[in-house]
Amino acid sequence: MGRWSEQYLTPYQFPEYLELIDHPYEVHTGHSLAETLRYLPRGQYADADLMAARSRFMLVGGFPELLAADHGRDRPDEDLVLGSQQLLRSDAVERVVYKDIPQSFGVDNPILLERLLYVLAA
């Protein structure tokens, strides 16, 4: 049989997202949140295009496969919304709750752990 090699690809950050959607915008960041907040203009409304891009970025969560599914659309559709929720659930919740935490900490009933996660998130 063949061999498998896994490679870890981190989700992209907001400035990278803006570059990928051909909407370059200079976002100054610091080493901490407090330092980054000092770069933000005071008393100005955010650019409407930037606000729309930020909303979409929050929806696709920095996942390249969701960006590819969303590319070229005027507004996100239900498939993208459901796809982003399913990806987050399969990658983040299922992997961590059913694999990583039980292996690391000996959790015998990961279903209860998943329920606790949803209660805390709500």
Side-chain angles (χ1 to χ4, degrees), residues 20-59:
L20 289 170
I21 63 169
D22 294 327
H23 188 284
Y25 188 88
E26 184 90 18
V27 178
H28 298 285
T29 57
H31 294 291
S32 68
L33 179 59
E35 189 177 322
T36 300
L37 289 175
R38 279 187 245 142
Y39 290 123
L40 297 177
R42 300 262 181 233
Q44 295 179 6
Y45 291 106
D47 179 1
D49 290 337
L50 187 61
M51 288 177 59
R54 186 174 41 234
S55 295
R56 287 182 97 114
F57 177 72
M58 296 301 289
L59 182 63

